[in-house]
Amino acid sequence: KLWYSPWIERSFWSLGILNGPIALLLLILLNDMLYAPAHRLLHHPSLYAYIHKHHHRSVYPFRGNIDARNEHPVEQLIAMSLWMSAVYMTAFSVGMHACCLAGHLTLMTMGASLNHAGFDLEIRFLGVDWYSTAAHEMHHRRPDKNFAQFTMFWDKLMGTYIPYIQEADEKADKAN
């Protein structure tokens, strides 16, 4: 029903700055704002073994979307519900064009694949770490850190952010 929602514009001529790029940016921020604490909750010992541990079997994920989508169905339902909430929050606040939805789904799929592909990519804009594959690699190496999917802003607010550490440096720190 979202596609037919009066809050989602579909006409090419109705695409504007507010319901396009600003809505996309807001959707990225809101989705991560909702997802990061939920992801952190999935790491609680009473839930981790039953829902999220399966995803963390790969400490150094490298198979892209195969590793990214290797999740428990409950985790998928949680993520999709939070995404829908972020979509509605964005649509109610600034409006939304269908291109924004398509763009966000594309960015999420590409980002999740890149997070689990084993190579480095970092996007910084306006002084904000918008995206870093290294941050997500650190999450797989240190499951108590870096819970957000794309923006490390929320992890910095929650006090769960850790910058990338070379594996050799990490082993040296543990030895000392």
Side-chain angles (χ1 to χ4, degrees):
K1 296 228 178 203
L2 181 64
W3 184 254
Y4 299 105
S5 169
W7 296 291
I8 308 296
E9 297 286 341
R10 292 171 291 285
S11 161
F12 174 77
W13 304 111
S14 63
L15 178 61
I17 297 294
L18 194 61
N19 69 359
I22 291 175
L24 179 60
L25 178 62
L26 185 59
L27 183 53
I28 289 168
L29 290 171
L30 289 174
N31 188 52
D32 252 10
M33 179 188 77
L34 297 173
Y35 183 81
H39 185 190
R40 186 177 185 182
L41 182 63
L42 289 176
H43 281 265
H44 189 275
S46 62
L47 298 173
Y48 184 75
Y50 301 105
I51 299 174
H52 194 58
K53 184 178 180 179
H54 180 76
H55 179 74
H56 278 275
R57 288 184 179 153
S58 178
V59 177
Y60 292 98
F62 66 93
R63 298 176 301 170
N65 211 40
I66 293 169
D67 285 333
R69 300 294 165 224
N70 189 16
E71 299 171 320
H72 190 282
V74 170
E75 186 173 355
Q76 286 278 329
L77 288 172
I78 291 168
M80 286 188 287
S81 298
L82 294 173
W83 180 77
M84 282 299 297
S85 297
V87 166
Y88 278 111
M89 290 165 62
T90 302
F92 289 145
S93 60
V94 296
M96 185 177 292
H97 194 276
C99 290
C100 177
L101 281 174
H104 191 256
L105 287 171
T106 301
L107 288 174
M108 284 184 58
T109 301
M110 288 173 44
S113 295
L114 290 169
N115 275 346
H116 298 86
F119 61 90
D120 294 335
L121 175 65
E122 184 176 313
I123 299 172
R124 289 183 54 83
F125 181 66
L126 299 174
V128 177
D129 298 325
W130 288 103
Y131 178 74
S132 169
T133 56
H136 194 74
E137 180 186 312
M138 285 306 298
H139 174 69
H140 275 264
R141 288 167 46 198
R142 292 277 313 271
D144 61 330
K145 302 292 182 189
N146 298 359
F147 295 102
Q149 291 180 314
F150 300 111
T151 60
M152 293 300 101
F153 174 76
W154 304 113
D155 281 295
K156 289 176 182 178
L157 275 178
M158 293 189 304
T160 56
Y161 174 73
I162 186 172
Y164 183 77
I165 301 170
Q166 291 286 341
E167 184 180 18
D169 295 338
E170 188 175 36
K171 287 179 182 176
D173 285 344
K174 288 180 183 179
N176 292 329

